[in-house]
């Protein structure tokens, strides 16, 4: 018996590779999360950007509460089971009336996990309508296998590295996935998806949380980190500690270490860049050295 999704929604996810809309947050929660983010932006004097928009749950109270939110986790558990880790997260912000976009891509290309059971909960903190540039996806594409990706970093591309699929789906539209503030969608790591610009007068705020079942293993030259949010860890990742005090030097240090590991894995698949191999080696060495200093016994959570 599903905890939050209906049986029909679980079947839709299995068939199409995505399901929406799913009600998860109350209007009061949406206002609270958004105001906390925007209050910090006002104090900073600029919109959130990298590195804070990645793995934000290691820095901000609002993001920590979101990745642990019981209604979100119940829906995720309905698909991937009770042992749940957060592998990554990205706050996708499309400012009002801007052409920010995301190319057609599959998340699995740069997440380096096996098997491909990662699921993204895309939580809307403002309305993500078609006009606002909501996600669009190709139904069933999670069953089509992996596609070759290339890197085309551009100023308005919301994926910093610019990874995407060239030449195959340029004219495709797929299915639009509009969600209102307080709702979310779920999509599979192999789903081919994209999004266009925001033509509305409000920001489009979406927090994409990458959840994985704890038995999934990393496949790459660096062991990445992950945060256990439900059930038990199986010991395949460097374990992140839950945020204790927001935006402190300690929080920034842990956040920086986690991002170094994730970026090292991305660098391993970044082709055609001068010095790519040496950059990966340096990133990996730095990340492993930092972890060794904190964890000299090399333990990485509870063995399976």
């Amino acid at each position: 018996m599903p905890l939050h999704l209906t049986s029909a929604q679980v079947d839709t996810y299995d068939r199409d590779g995505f399901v929406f809309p799913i009600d998860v947050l109350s209007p009061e929660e949406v206002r609270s999360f958004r105001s906390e983010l925007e209050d910090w932006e006002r104090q900073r004097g600029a919109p959130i950007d990298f590195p804070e928009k990645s793995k934000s749950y290691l820095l901000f109270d609002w993001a920590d509460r979101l990745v642990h939110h019981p209604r979100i986790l119940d829906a995720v558990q309905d698909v991937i089971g009770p042992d749940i880790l957060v592998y990554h997260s990205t706050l996708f912000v499309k400012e009002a009336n801007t052409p920010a976009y995301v190319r057609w891509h599959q998340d699995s290309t740069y997440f380096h996990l096996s098997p491909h059971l990662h699921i993204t909960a895309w939580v809307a903190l403002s309305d993500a309508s078609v006009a606002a540039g909501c996600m669009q996806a190709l139904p069933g594409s999670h069953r089509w296998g992996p596609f070759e990706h290339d890197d085309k970093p551009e100023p308005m591309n919301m994926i910093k590295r610019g990874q995407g699929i060239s030449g195959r789906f340029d004219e495709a539209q797929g299915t639009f996935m509009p969600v209102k503030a307080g709702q979310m969608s779920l999509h599979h790591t192999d789903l081919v998806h994209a999004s266009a610009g925001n033509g509305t007068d409000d920001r489009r705020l979406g927090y994409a949380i990458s959840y994985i079942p704890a038995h999934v293993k990393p496949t790459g030259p660096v062991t990445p980190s992950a945060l256990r949010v439900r059930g038990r860890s199986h010991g395949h990742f460097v374990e992140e500690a839950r945020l204790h005090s927001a935006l402190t030097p300690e929080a920034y240090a842990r956040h920086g270490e986690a991002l170094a590991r994730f970026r090292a894995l991305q660098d391993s698949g970044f082709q055609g860049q001068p010095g790519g191999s040496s950059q990966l080696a340096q990133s990996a060495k730095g990340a492993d050295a930092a972890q060794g200093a904190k964890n000299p016994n090399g333990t990485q959570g509870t063995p399976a």
Side-chain angles (χ1 to χ4, degrees):
M1 185 73 178
L3 297 174
H4 186 67
L5 301 181
T6 66
S7 296
Q9 286 176 314
V10 174
D11 290 343
T12 296
Y13 179 87
D14 183 62
R15 182 190 69 232
D16 294 340
F18 61 93
V19 61
F20 75 100
I22 304 164
D23 295 326
V24 286
L25 304 179
S26 69
E28 293 75 22
E29 287 175 314
V30 171
R31 284 193 291 270
S32 175
F33 293 138
R34 180 169 179 173
S35 66
E36 287 182 42
L37 165 64
E38 294 183 331
D39 286 347
W40 177 82
E41 289 179 316
R42 281 189 288 271
Q43 293 172 14
R44 178 175 184 257
I48 192 170
D49 204 340
F50 294 102
E52 288 90 353
K53 69 189 301 181
S54 293
K55 284 186 174 281
S56 307
Y57 59 89
L58 295 176
L59 290 175
F60 299 98
D61 284 330
W62 62 264
D64 170 75
R65 299 200 307 275
L66 269 176
V67 301
H68 289 90
H69 198 288
R71 284 193 290 277
I72 295 174
L73 291 178
D74 282 350
V76 170
Q77 180 171 333
D78 287 338
V79 178
I80 68 172
D83 295 336
I84 304 173
L85 309 179
V86 176
Y87 180 62
H88 195 60
S89 74
T90 303
L91 182 67
F92 285 102
V93 182
K94 291 184 180 178
E95 299 295 349
N97 297 299
T98 58
Y101 70 95
V102 176
R103 299 172 64 200
W104 290 111
H105 69 283
Q106 295 168 303
D107 296 339
S108 56
T109 302
Y110 44 84
F111 279 171
H112 302 278
L113 301 170
S114 180
H116 287 187
L117 296 175
H118 147 244
I119 186 172
T120 294
W122 200 99
V123 185
L125 298 181
S126 66
D127 289 349
S129 62
V130 173
C134 68
M135 279 181 50
Q136 48 199 115
L138 303 182
S141 57
H142 64 308
R143 300 181 182 276
W144 297 350
F147 291 94
E148 182 179 352
H149 288 59
D150 55 21
D151 299 278
K152 294 182 178 180
E154 296 177 353
M156 297 311 297
N157 191 328
M158 299 188 72
I159 297 179
K160 190 175 181 66
R161 179 140 286 161
Q163 287 173 316
I165 303 167
S166 292
R168 297 189 66 103
F169 307 114
D170 295 349
E171 305 303 319
Q173 175 175 293
T175 298
F176 289 106
M177 300 168 59
V179 284
K180 295 180 179 179
Q183 295 180 328
M184 74 173 184
S185 61
L186 295 174
H187 71 265
H188 189 280
T189 189
D190 288 330
L191 183 74
V192 178
H193 59 289
S195 68
N198 178 8
T200 73
D201 294 329
D202 189 21
R203 314 172 83 189
R204 196 212 67 166
L205 299 170
Y207 193 40
I209 310 168
S210 300
Y211 291 105
I212 55 174
H215 68 271
V216 164
K217 297 180 180 180
T219 61
V222 181
T223 303
S225 61
L227 177 69
R228 182 181 62 84
V229 289
R230 180 171 284 186
R232 67 187 186 99
S233 170
H234 292 205
H236 301 314
F237 297 83
V238 174
E239 291 211 20
E240 297 170 354
R242 183 171 182 177
L243 180 66
H244 180 261
S245 184
L247 300 170
T248 60
E250 180 184 16
Y252 267 104
R254 290 179 174 177
H255 177 256
E257 179 185 321
L259 278 188
R261 290 182 173 277
F262 185 75
R263 287 172 177 168
L265 281 179
Q266 288 194 310
D267 286 344
S268 70
F270 193 31
Q271 302 298 318
Q273 290 297 304
S277 297
S278 62
Q279 290 170 5
L280 170 62
Q282 291 171 5
S283 296
K285 183 178 179 181
D288 285 328
Q291 178 62 19
K294 290 186 177 183
N295 197 355
N297 295 324
T299 56
Q300 298 177 1
T302 306

